[in-house]
Structures are given as C-alpha cells and as structure tokens.
Amino acid sequence: MEAEELRVGFVGAGRMAGGLGRGLLRAGKVPASNIIVSAPSDRNLAEWREWGCRTTHCNLEVLQESTVVFLATKPHVLPTVLQELRPAVTSQHLLISLAAGVTLQKLQRVGAAVFSRGTGVGDGDAALLQSLLSPCGMCEEVPEPYINIHTGLSGSGVAYVYLFAEAMAEGAVKMGMPMGLASKIAAQTLLGAAKMLLETGEHPAKLRGDVCTPGGTTIHGLYQLEKGALRATVMNAVQAATERACEMGED
Ligand SMILES: NC(=O)c1ccc[n+]([C@@H]2O[C@H](COP(=O)([O-])OP(=O)(O)OC[C@H]3O[C@@H](n4cnc5c(N)ncnc54)[C@H](OP(=O)(O)O)[C@@H]3O)[C@@H](O)[C@H]2O)c1
C-alpha cells in the first residue's frame, strides 16, 4: 500500500503513541494529514496537531477514519476501549495493541487481528506493519508467548539500563568526576557497546573477553560485578517483569 493511501489511527496519544507517530512521520511512512489520534484530554493532543495530524476525543472516529489502528492506552483502560470500538471494527481493520499483557484472545473477541499475528492477519498485513514500524526500531514477528518476555526484556529493560548508566556515572562521581560529564560518558559507553553487539553479532561473552587484558583494569571491575551477582540480579529482573506482564494479561 502506498504511503498516501495509508490511513493510520492511534487510540491513546501518550509516550508510546508519540514515539511511534514521530517515527512514522520522520521516515515519511505516512503523511501527517493521514494520521488521526484520540485521547480524552487535550494534554497530549496539542503536540500531534502541531505535527499536522488530526485529533479527536472520540475513539470511534479514529476507527472510522483509519485502517491501521494502534491501541496505545494503558492496559487497564484497554478492555473499556475495546468494548467501545467493537461495533465499528471491520475485516478491513488492522488493530495493533501496544499494551503490555493483553492477550490476542482478548483482542480477538472484537473480531480483529493483531501482531503477534492473530487468526485473520495475512502476510500482507504483517509485512505492512513491519514496514511501518521498522523506522521506529526493530520489528519482528514473534510467537505470542514472546510478547510478555519482550516486555520484561525491552519494554521494562530500558529502565534497567538507565539504572546501570546512573550507577556507572555515580561510580565516576565517587572517584571525583562531575555528574554531567560522567553521565554523558556512561551513555556513550552503552551506545558503543550496544552498537558492537548489533554490528558484530558476537556473543556478549566474547566481546567482554576481548576487552579483558590479563591482570588489567577491566577484569578487576568485572570481578566486583560478579561478586555483587549482577548477572543473576538482571536475569531475575527480566523474569519478574515478564511474570508481571503475564499477571496483567490474566486480569
Ligand atoms: N510492550 C512494551 O514494550 C511497552 C513499552 C512501553 C509501553 N507499553 C504500553 O504502551 C501503552 C501506552 O503506554 P504510554 O507510556 O504511552 O502511556 P501514557 O503516556 O500514559 O499514554 C496513555 C494515553 O492513553 C490515553 N487514554 C486514557 N484513557 C483513554 C481512553 N479511554 N480512550 C483513549 N485514550 C485514552 C491518555 O489520554 P490523555 O492524553 O488524555 O492522558 C494518553 O494519551 C501501555 O499499554 C503500555 O503497557 C508497552
């Protein structure tokens, strides 16, 4: 489908919707005039209007005006929103839930389909979604059980990384570096390490080994992290967040 023909809607206009919307516009995937967004208040809508998108307080209007609809409310609001949208959903709609812990089964009760693909979502729909989301980062089709793991790893994982960055910077502050500079260097270090992982495709343990000079600084630092059980703690964090996402799906 050509970008000009695509009509994209967002139900919910907060951080997730905003990030995606900005990504789509920057990449020229959809013209702003083909995007419509709904939210109960004007709090977030004003920014969308500045981008040239249409806004409304009526969720049904979003469905009527678009074929690809991102559901971007908080998970606890989604059941009410789905109830409200149900009468207007047609087989032409591709509904995509961004909500943590909302199962396909719940969504399919409204007769719609989502990614991880529910029944009724064809290869064309999946390809369209991948093409739309690719400028906003990686977009992969996964089996449904991976969705909650993805939330534990990536959705919540950004917060673990912020904590790690903060701790690295504070270590430098402890040794006498100002926080502003330490914070920038910590962020740059994370960025460089993340790029190496993606670009080389190597196992993290290999890259870690490569930078450990025998008897050097890095192995001394790593020994302290191992002593503090960083690895097991992070694994437990991913598990706890994944389990919480599963619990939220059972509500
Ligand atoms: N899977 C992941 O990795 C991941 C990561 C982060 C977030 N998420 C999910 O993304 C979703 C959105 O999170 P967020 O951080 O973007 O939340 P947010 O910033 O709080 O935005 C929520 C939006 O929903 C709107 N809203 C509230 N009630 C509504 C209703 N009845 N109808 C339509 N819109 C309504 C809010 O309106 P106002 O503008 O009026 O307040 C706001 O615009 C959540 O479900 C979260 O679980 C997933």
Side-chain angles (χ1 to χ4, degrees):
M1 206 182 284
E2 293 300 316
E4 305 80 65
E5 300 168 25
L6 250 187
R7 286 177 301 129
V8 175
F10 289 88
V11 174
R15 281 158 296 194
M16 280 293 283
L20 262 180
R22 242 190 314 265
L24 292 181
L25 290 171
R26 273 202 200 129
K29 290 284 178 187
V30 194
S33 54
N34 280 19
I35 296 182
I36 180 164
V37 193
S38 66
S41 79
D42 264 325
R43 188 185 4 239
N44 290 298
L45 294 180
E47 190 176 25
W48 291 83
R49 285 196 288 272
E50 280 169 25
W51 299 341
C53 302
R54 288 177 298 147
T55 64
T56 174
H57 296 303
C58 172
N59 294 337
L60 270 179
E61 195 182 335
V62 170
L63 216 68
Q64 284 151 3
E65 294 289 314
S66 38
T67 43
V68 177
V69 181
F70 289 95
L71 304 170
T73 66
K74 289 287 186 200
H76 69 275
V77 181
L78 200 54
T80 320
V81 168
L82 287 172
Q83 263 322 96
E84 187 188 345
L85 297 180
R86 188 199 290 266
V89 177
T90 71
S91 59
Q92 301 308 306
H93 284 110
L94 178 60
L95 295 198
I96 302 134
S97 164
L98 304 177
V102 175
T103 61
L104 288 180
Q105 208 187 13
K106 264 189 205 162
L107 283 164
Q108 283 175 345
R109 277 187 218 134
V110 298
V114 292
F115 202 85
S116 256
R117 254 193 264 189
T119 50
V121 178
D123 288 347
D125 290 331
L128 170 66
L129 185 59
Q130 274 194 323
S131 141
L132 275 179
L133 297 186
S134 55
C136 308
M138 234 165 56
C139 172
E140 285 190 37
E141 186 177 357
V142 294
E144 192 187 8
Y146 289 7
I147 298 269
N148 287 336
I149 304 176
H150 180 272
T151 299
L153 172 64
S154 176
S156 306
V158 286
Y160 320 153
V161 176
Y162 292 142
L163 184 69
F164 186 67
E166 183 191 350
M168 293 227 310
E170 284 186 338
V173 171
K174 191 175 170 207
M175 300 316 293
M177 188 183 275
M179 184 63 184
L181 179 61
S183 199
K184 259 192 224 159
I185 295 174
Q188 202 59 47
T189 306
L190 292 176
L191 187 66
K195 271 192 175 166
M196 278 296 283
L197 277 171
L198 290 174
E199 285 168 10
T200 64
E202 293 282 9
H203 192 286
K206 158 87 171 60
L207 295 176
R208 184 160 47 82
D210 287 350
V211 294
C212 276
T213 310
T217 57
T218 311
I219 193 67
H220 277 79
L222 283 172
Y223 175 66
Q224 292 301 326
L225 293 178
E226 294 289 8
K227 242 171 69 178
L230 178 84
R231 191 196 302 249
T233 306
V234 173
M235 286 168 73
N236 283 339
V238 174
Q239 181 179 344
T242 303
E243 285 172 354
R244 180 65 191 131
C246 295
E247 276 169 23
M248 286 160 73
E250 285 160 12
D251 290 345

